[in-house]
Amino acid sequence: MNDSLPKAEQCRQQLNQAALDYHEFPTPGKISVTPTKQLTCQRDLSLAYSPGVAATCEKIVEDPHNVARFTSRGNLVAVITNGTAVLGLGNIGPLAAKPVMEGKAVLFKKFAGIDVFDIEINESDPDKLCDIIAALEPTFGGINLEDIKAPECFYIERQLRGRMKIPVFHDDQHGTAIIVSAAIFNGLKVVGKDFRQCKLVVSGAGAAALACLDLLVDMGFPLANIFVTDLAGVVYTGRTELMDADKARFMQDTPARTLAEVIPNADVFLGLSAGGVLKPDMVKRMAANPLIMALANPTPEILPEEIRAVRDDAIIATGRSDYPNQVNNVLCFPYIFRGALDCGATTITREMEIATVHAIAQLAQAEPSDVVANAYGSQDLSFGVNYLIPLPFDPRLMSHIAPAVAKAAAESGVATQPIADLEAYTERLRQFAYHSGSFMQPAFHKARNADPAIKRIAFAEGEDERVLRAVQIVLDEKIAVPTLIGRPAIIQQHIDKLGLRMKAGVDFSIVNPDQDERYHDYWQSYLSMTLRKGVTEQYAKLEMRRRHTLIAAMLVHKGDADGLICGTFGTPRLHLHYIDQVLGKRPDCTLYAAMNYLVLADRQIALVDTHINEDPCAEQLAEITLLAADQMRHLGLIPRVALLSHSNFGSSNSLSAQKMRKALAIIRTKDADLEVDGEMHADNAIDYAMLKHTLPDTTLTSSANLLVSPNIDAANISYNLLKATAGNGIAIGPVLLGCAKPVHILTASATVRRIVNMTALCVVDSVWAAGGV
C-alpha cells in the first residue's frame, strides 16, 4: 500500500483487494449448485434418471402445472443481463457483469430461499435478446431482468411479459419504484400532506426514475404535478433533445428549463441521477417540510448534512446504509418473487406491485417488533421522520410482502395455484425468515451506531496478523474503538507487512506489556485479588508483563476498555483462568459456558456447552440453557430449545437421560415462556415434521435452534461436525456466557471474519451491559 496516497484512495484500494479476495477464495464465485436428493445406490440412480424419471415426465405431459411438483422450476429464477447498464459501471458487457448477477442470486437465496441461475447474454439487439430469454421459459419459474440500459429495458420487459407465462420483473425499474413509492407515501403521511396535492420534482429520467413515476401516477399522484429533469434540463412540452416515448409522457407546459428553476415550492425531490446536482440554495426554496430523496450512490444528489445546514424541517432518504431511510431494493424483490412463485403467478401485475407498496408502508407504520428492536438496538424504530420504511434485515418483510403479493395475484386472476390458507402460508414464511441466518447484520448495525464511549474493545493478541486484519475491518466498518495489547514495534512491523492503513495513536491505541504507565497499578490490583490464592508479588509482576489476556482483563476491570477479545492461541481454559481471576462471573451466575452459532444453508443453530463444562449436572445444564436463551434474545432471535440425548422421550433410562429430563423440569420452572422440550434425538430437534410425528404434543412450535448437549464431548463433536460438513466452516463464537463483563474467548482456528463477528457481538454485549436495548 502506498502511504503517499490520500487516505480515501488507500481505503478504496484496500476495499478493492478485499473484494477480489472475497470472490476468489476459497472457491471462485459466490454460488454453486447443490443436489437436493441422495444418489447413494443403484435404486437412487434408477429413480433420479432412467427409467424412473419417465414417470414424472409423463405426469408433466398430462398437466404442465405438475412441473412445480416434480422439479425445481417452481423455485427457480433466472437473473438475466446483457451488461449494458451495470451498477455505476455502465456498459461493461455481460462477462464483466457476472459477479453482480451472482450477487443478486445470493440475495434471492439468503432472503427468500429462492434458487437462481445467473445468465449473462452477449446480445444488445432488443428483439434478439427477447427471443433468447423467451426461449428459456421451460426452465424457470420467473425472470429477473437486471442492468439493461434504458430505453431498451422498457421494450424488452413489455415484450417478454406479453410472450411469457411466468413472472418477468425488471428490478432496476419496479423494485426501485416500489420502495420509493412506499417511502413517498409514508413521508407525506408523516408531515400530513395530501398525496394528490403535492409537487414532485425529479432529477434523472432513466429506467428507475420513469418506473417510479409511472407507479406513483397509477397510485393516484397527479401527472400534472410531476416535473422531470435530466441531462438536457426540464422535460417540457415541445422538447426534442434526448427524448423518447416513455419520457414524453411527463412533458410539462412550463417556462422552467433547469432544476434550479423548477424546484421552488416542491414538496418532494426525487433524485435518481448523480451526486451533487441538488444545491443547498435550491433546498431553501422548496415547500415547508420537504421530502428529499437523494438516491444516487455512492454520492447522493445532496448530502443530508448539507440539507440540515439550511433546513431543519426536511425529511431525508438516501440509498446509503449510513443514514436513516435507506431505499434498498432488497426490501422487496426477493419477497415479490417468493409470493409470485408460490401461487404460480403467470405474470407480475400492477396490482401485485401496489400491494407490495402498501405492505411495506404498513409494516413501517406498525407497532415496532420486540425482535426487530432487540436486533437493531436502541435506534428509534417508530414510524416517523427517521423511519419511513422498514430496515433491510427486518425479518417480518417476507411474511408481510409475499402473502400480499399472492393475494393480489389471485385477485388479479393470474395465480394458477392460489394459496387457500394465507394464514398458514404467512406462518411458514415467518419461520423461514427466522431461519435465514442473517442475524449478524443487525448486530453490525447496532455496533456501528453504539456510543463510542461504550465500544472500546481490547484485543489481547494484538500482534497476531489475523487480529490486525480484523481490526482494520473493524475500523473501516466503525464497529469498535480498538486497543491492542502488544509490542508497538512488532505491531507496526506486521501492519507494514500486511499493507494495512491504520495508524497507532490515531485509529487505535496500544498497551505495551514492556512499558505502560498503568503497570504498577495493574499488578498491585491483581495481587490484591489473588493474594490468598497462591499469587506472590513477584509472580503478579511477572504475570502482568507476559499474560496479554490478563492485561486486557485488567483494562476492562479498571474501566479503560468496555470488552475484550482473546483466544487466538492456546486453549479456552488458559484464557478463562485470568478472566475469572479479574472479572469473575455475573452475580446471578454460578458458572461460565460457551455457545457457538452455526450459519447453515437453511437455518441458524446455536450449540452449548461446546468448550468449558465437561459433564454439567442437571442444575448446571438448566443455567447454561437459560444463559444461552437470554443471549439469543438480545440478538433478536427467538430461542427454541432441544435438550439432546441418546434417549428419545423416555426410550432410555440411563443417568444422562435422567439428567436431561431433570434439566427440562428446572428450566420450565424458571422460564415458563421459553420454548423447550426434551430429552430427544438430534434428528427430532432439527426436523419438526419428525418431532411432531414422534411427539404430537411437543411444546416446540418449530425446529429447535438452540441445541443443548449432555456433556462437552457431545456438544463439541456435534459443533465441529456440523461446521465442517454443513456449515461451510461458517461459525460465530465461542460466545462466553456468565461473565460479569463483555468478554469472548476465541479458538486458535479463528479466522479474520470470525474475529470481526465476535468484535461486533462484544460491542452488542457492551451496549446491553450499559442498559441499551
Side-chain angles (χ1 to χ4, degrees):
M1 184 69 64
N2 188 346
D3 289 338
S4 65
L5 293 173
K7 187 168 184 178
E9 178 59 22
Q10 292 183 40
C11 290
R12 189 187 69 80
Q13 290 188 9
Q14 185 80 12
L15 179 64
N16 287 351
Q17 186 58 52
L20 293 173
D21 292 343
Y22 174 85
H23 282 79
E24 185 175 1
F25 305 109
T27 302
K30 298 189 285 286
I31 59 174
S32 66
V33 177
T34 304
T36 60
K37 302 292 191 297
Q38 292 185 351
L39 194 64
T40 57
C41 63
Q42 182 62 38
R43 179 167 175 79
D44 287 347
L45 181 60
S46 67
L47 295 174
Y49 198 53
S50 180
V53 73
T56 58
C57 297
E58 290 167 351
K59 284 291 184 182
I60 295 169
V61 171
E62 291 174 11
D63 181 356
H65 291 136
N66 280 330
V67 71
R69 288 181 58 197
F70 299 117
T71 77
S72 64
R73 184 178 185 265
N75 194 51
L76 185 61
V77 166
V79 172
I80 299 179
T81 190
N82 63 358
T84 52
V86 179
L87 293 174
L89 302 174
N91 188 357
I92 62 173
L95 191 63
K98 188 172 180 64
V100 182
M101 300 307 110
E102 284 191 354
K104 194 81 170 196
V106 171
L107 295 178
F108 269 106
K109 185 67 174 180
K110 287 292 186 181
F111 284 97
I114 295 172
D115 294 319
V116 167
F117 289 157
D118 64 291
I119 298 178
E120 295 76 31
I121 300 174
N122 188 18
E123 181 56 70
S124 57
D125 181 274
D127 290 310
K128 291 181 179 179
L129 189 60
C130 286
D131 289 341
I132 294 169
I133 297 172
L136 297 172
E137 183 170 349
T139 302
F140 297 101
I143 303 290
N144 184 92
L145 301 175
E146 193 78 17
D147 293 347
I148 300 172
K149 71 182 180 74
E152 288 92 333
C153 60
F154 302 115
Y155 173 79
I156 291 166
E157 187 191 50
R158 280 194 290 264
Q159 289 294 310
L160 291 174
R161 284 192 170 187
R163 294 171 62 176
M164 303 179 80
K165 300 298 185 186
I166 57 174
V168 177
F169 189 78
H170 186 209
D171 185 48
D172 298 329
Q173 294 182 56
H174 305 296
T176 303
I178 286 166
I179 309 303
V180 164
S181 297
I184 290 177
F185 185 85
N186 276 355
L188 295 177
K189 185 180 182 71
V190 166
V191 296
K193 291 186 178 181
D194 188 335
F195 189 74
R196 292 170 176 78
Q197 295 180 2
C198 291
K199 177 182 177 180
L200 169 63
V201 173
V202 184
S203 174
L210 295 180
C212 290
L213 299 181
D214 285 336
L215 181 55
L216 285 167
V217 170
D218 287 349
M219 291 183 66
F221 202 103
L223 183 61
N225 294 2
I226 296 173
F227 297 82
V228 178
T229 67
D230 60 10
L231 289 173
V234 174
V235 176
Y236 61 88
T237 302
R239 199 185 98 173
T240 57
E241 184 181 3
L242 296 178
M243 292 299 295
D244 57 63
D246 294 288
K247 194 186 301 183
R249 180 188 186 196
F250 298 99
M251 285 181 173
Q252 291 284 11
D253 188 7
T254 174
R257 294 295 181 264
T258 66
L259 178 61
E261 292 173 358
V262 80
I263 198 73
N265 299 316
D267 298 283
V268 182
F269 169 81
L270 173 58
L272 286 157
S273 54
V277 301
L278 184 66
K279 307 300 182 185
D281 66 299
M282 300 181 194
V283 173
K284 288 181 183 179
R285 291 181 285 139
M286 293 181 70
N289 305 118
L291 173 58
I292 300 175
M293 304 188 66
L295 306 183
N297 251 328
T299 304
E301 284 79 3
I302 185 169
L303 289 168
E305 296 87 346
E306 296 177 286
I307 299 172
R308 294 291 178 220
V310 296
R311 297 290 293 258
D312 60 6
D313 62 341
I315 300 178
I316 306 167
T318 70
R320 290 171 41 157
S321 61
D322 51 347
Y323 293 108
N325 299 323
Q326 181 193 12
V327 173
N328 189 328
N329 288 12
V330 80
L331 283 169
C332 73
F333 73 80
Y335 316 120
I336 290 174
F337 271 96
R338 181 73 280 156
L341 291 171
D342 290 343
C343 71
T346 57
T347 187
I348 293 177
T349 65
R350 183 61 100 192
E351 290 81 6
M352 294 160 73
E353 293 176 2
I354 292 174
T356 305
V357 173
H358 288 306
I360 292 170
Q362 289 164 8
L363 181 55
Q365 296 175 35
E367 181 178 343
S369 159
D370 289 342
V371 173
V372 178
N374 286 338
Y376 279 94
S378 57
Q379 177 179 348
D380 183 8
L381 299 182
S382 298
F383 179 58
V385 169
N386 291 320
Y387 189 64
L388 300 179
I389 50 178
L391 296 168
F393 289 91
D394 189 328
R396 299 171 298 172
L397 282 163
M398 184 156 68
S399 60
H400 275 66
I401 295 173
V405 169
K407 183 173 182 289
E411 293 172 349
S412 303
V414 299
T416 61
Q417 300 166 355
I419 296 171
D421 190 341
L422 280 172
E423 187 174 335
Y425 175 60
T426 300
E427 179 58 30
R428 189 165 73 249
L429 295 175
R430 187 178 293 118
Q431 293 302 326
F432 172 85
Y434 288 106
H435 287 164
S436 66
S438 59
F439 76 97
M440 276 309 301
Q441 290 298 332
F444 278 112
H445 182 91
K446 187 186 292 188
R448 289 189 196 99
N449 288 279
D451 184 345
I454 58 172
K455 62 178 185 179
R456 300 165 301 160
I457 304 301
F459 294 85
E461 293 87 37
E463 297 176 8
D464 190 304
E465 291 188 0
R466 289 169 296 167
V467 171
L468 292 171
R469 288 185 185 276
V471 167
Q472 182 67 73
I473 297 171
V474 164
L475 289 167
D476 290 343
E477 299 194 13
K478 299 180 176 61
I479 293 169
V481 180
T483 295
L484 305 183
I485 317 299
R487 294 162 292 176
I490 301 300
I491 290 174
Q492 189 58 52
Q493 182 181 1
H494 290 322
I495 287 175
D496 293 340
K497 171 189 171 184
L498 298 172
L500 304 179
R501 294 166 280 105
M502 57 189 186
K503 298 186 183 301
V506 177
D507 301 308
F508 63 93
S509 58
I510 294 178
V511 174
N512 182 358
D514 296 334
Q515 185 177 6
D516 189 273
E517 61 185 11
R518 293 164 289 196
Y519 170 71
H520 187 267
D521 176 40
Y522 279 15
W523 75 254
Q524 284 193 325
S525 295
Y526 179 57
L527 180 63
S528 68
M529 295 173 177
T530 57
L531 188 59
R532 292 182 178 271
K533 299 178 181 178
V535 175
T536 64
E537 178 178 323
Q538 183 179 5
Y539 190 71
K541 290 179 179 179
L542 180 63
E543 290 285 87
M544 197 54 69
R545 288 285 191 206
R546 67 181 182 175
R547 303 298 185 188
H548 290 196
T549 296
L550 175 59
I551 297 170
M554 195 60 71
L555 283 168
V556 175
H557 173 70
K558 292 288 186 177
D560 296 324
D562 302 301
L564 79 88
I565 298 291
C566 62
T568 57
F569 82 96
T571 65
R573 289 187 180 280
L574 172 69
H575 299 276
L576 186 60
H577 170 70
Y578 297 106
I579 290 165
D580 184 51
Q581 285 183 319
V582 177
L583 300 176
K585 303 179 186 73
R586 279 171 33 182
D588 59 338
C589 293
T590 65
L591 49 68
Y592 301 100
M595 173 169 68
N596 274 281
Y597 292 102
L598 285 172
V599 180
L600 307 180
D602 61 346
R603 70 187 72 207
Q604 56 201 30
I605 294 177
L607 299 94
V608 290
D609 172 18
T610 53
H611 289 86
I612 296 175
N613 299 285
E614 290 187 5
D615 189 15
C617 65
E619 290 78 10
Q620 290 173 322
L621 278 172
E623 183 174 349
I624 291 168
T625 301
L626 294 171
L627 284 171
D630 204 23
Q631 174 79 17
M632 291 180 71
R633 284 172 177 142
H634 94 264
L635 287 174
L637 303 173
I638 300 173
R640 291 180 298 277
V641 185
L643 303 180
L644 303 183
S645 174
H646 75 284
S647 172
N648 202 37
F649 301 110
S651 63
S652 169
N653 205 35
S654 67
L655 291 177
S656 66
Q658 292 180 46
K659 178 173 68 171
M660 301 310 279
R661 286 176 219 149
K662 185 177 178 182
L664 175 64
I666 296 170
I667 293 166
R668 285 179 169 169
T669 299
K670 293 189 174 183
D671 189 346
D673 294 329
L674 179 64
E675 284 191 41
V676 57
D677 213 339
E679 82 283 9
M680 70 174 74
H681 288 169
D683 52 358
N684 276 268
I686 61 175
D687 185 336
Y688 190 63
M690 181 184 293
L691 175 62
K692 288 291 286 184
H693 178 75
T694 304
L695 191 73
D697 67 343
T698 178
T699 55
L700 296 184
T701 61
S702 185
S703 300
N705 59 4
L706 173 55
L707 307 182
V708 182
S709 296
N711 57 49
I712 196 171
D713 288 330
N716 191 273
I717 291 168
S718 299
Y719 161 66
N720 282 302
L721 281 173
L722 279 171
K723 180 181 69 171
T725 60
N728 297 313
I730 302 174
I732 299 165
V735 176
L736 183 62
L737 306 173
C739 188
K741 297 289 185 178
V743 175
H744 294 302
I745 305 172
L746 305 179
T747 59
S749 63
T751 62
V752 171
R753 175 47 57 183
R754 196 188 304 183
I755 296 169
V756 173
N757 286 340
M758 294 309 298
T759 302
L761 290 186
C762 196
V763 172
V764 171
D765 289 342
S766 178
V767 172
W768 192 29
V773 177

